[in-house]
Amino acid sequence: MTVDPSPVDPRAFARNLDLVRDRIVGAGGDPERISVLAVTKGFGIDAPRAALAAGLFDLGENYAQELIEKATALAGEAPAPAWHFIGGLQSNKVRLLVDHVACWQSVDRASLVRELAKRAPGATIHIQVNATAEPQKSGCPPDEVGDLVARATEAGLVVDGLMTIGVDGDDAATARAFDSVAAMVADLGLHHASMGMSADLELAVRAGSTMVRLGTALFGTRPRRSDAAVRD
Ligand SMILES: *Cc1c(COP(=O)(O)O)cnc(C)c1O
């Protein structure tokens, strides 16, 4: 991995985490009941270390190579993180990630369910929902989510929740998307509604998010896409 141009200071991280908890409370949420997934993509190895030192064990990465490099670098250290894969997932990456990933949050199609059932039997997943019907966006269409959840469960995977991404710059559309995904989580009897990023945390908490995925709010501005990610 290349040198991180903006190292993460553990004290700055602790302050940022306090601010995040204030924002959750300000939006009417209970920080004890909403998991914070620390998204370390683009940051160096000191980012996951800062999160772990502050008691955040759930870490998120978008790119296979970058997740594997960080997981490998931390191997053997305590406490151990639970890595969540939150990026676009290609079937051929599953095999490489299997030893490292605790939760696959971006499962959005039957072919991925089949590959995971084969390579990672019993794995914990979220179904990613494209709740805003933007054609370029990944995610399962809302009317196919029930089927995909059933398929995954039949294949022996543990569907722990739904994940969705808001619409950049459109609070009204984002709030509608979060409301509809929270309703789907309730209808399907699932555990987690993984929604809310640094820019739309409050909208997600108001809609009933149980897991917010935060990068910049915790670590500051993301340096850039790492070389590892470009190779992905
Ligand atoms: C990058 C990313 C995040 C974190 O984004 P921030 O704006 O830095 O909080 C959360 N979820 C997904 C799916 C991401 O790709």
Side-chain angles (χ1 to χ4, degrees):
M1 187 156 297
T2 49
V3 176
D4 180 358
S6 57
V8 174
D9 167 12
R11 277 168 308 184
F13 179 86
R15 278 195 302 277
N16 289 342
L17 182 56
D18 283 343
L19 292 174
V20 160
R21 292 192 169 129
D22 289 347
R23 285 177 65 186
I24 290 174
V25 171
D30 177 355
E32 300 300 313
R33 304 187 64 157
I34 298 176
S35 306
V36 174
L37 178 72
V39 178
T40 54
K41 69 170 178 223
F43 294 97
I45 196 65
D46 46 347
R49 287 209 174 102
L52 291 164
L56 297 186
F57 306 118
D58 290 302
L59 307 181
E61 282 284 341
N62 285 56
Y63 306 105
Q65 197 56 42
E66 199 175 344
L67 188 153
I68 292 165
E69 285 184 16
K70 288 197 179 98
T72 305
L74 293 177
E77 291 179 27
W83 288 104
H84 294 238
F85 193 83
I86 61 171
L89 182 56
Q90 296 162 259
S91 286
N92 64 355
K93 293 285 161 42
V94 167
R95 188 174 49 82
L96 305 173
L97 287 164
V98 131
D99 290 340
H100 303 292
V101 171
C103 178
W104 308 77
Q105 290 211 14
S106 46
V107 179
D108 63 356
R109 55 194 187 274
S111 58
L112 267 177
V113 163
R114 281 194 298 275
E115 183 67 8
L116 283 162
K118 182 166 141 201
R119 307 274 183 191
T124 297
I125 70 168
H126 290 185
I127 300 296
Q128 181 175 351
V129 184
N130 180 358
T132 52
E134 294 159 278
Q136 76 284 7
K137 203 163 169 175
S138 48
C140 179
D143 59 347
E144 295 172 19
V145 169
D147 275 355
L148 194 55
V149 168
R151 221 179 246 265
T153 306
E154 277 160 30
L157 301 175
V158 177
V159 183
D160 198 36
L162 303 180
M163 185 271 262
T164 200
I165 299 175
V167 188
D168 207 14
D170 188 340
D171 282 1
T174 297
R176 279 197 301 278
F178 289 170
D179 282 340
S180 75
V181 169
M184 280 183 241
V185 167
D187 283 349
L188 294 164
L190 302 176
H191 179 211
H192 272 302
S194 169
M195 48 195 207
M197 301 173 27
S198 296
D200 54 23
L201 166 65
E202 285 83 358
L203 294 174
V205 169
R206 278 188 216 113
S209 171
T210 66
M211 183 183 286
V212 290
R213 307 179 309 268
L214 305 176
T216 54
L218 292 174
F219 300 113
T221 308
R222 217 167 356 258
R224 66 200 154 82
R225 214 174 153 198
S226 72
D227 294 346
V230 173
R231 284 201 306 275
D232 211 50

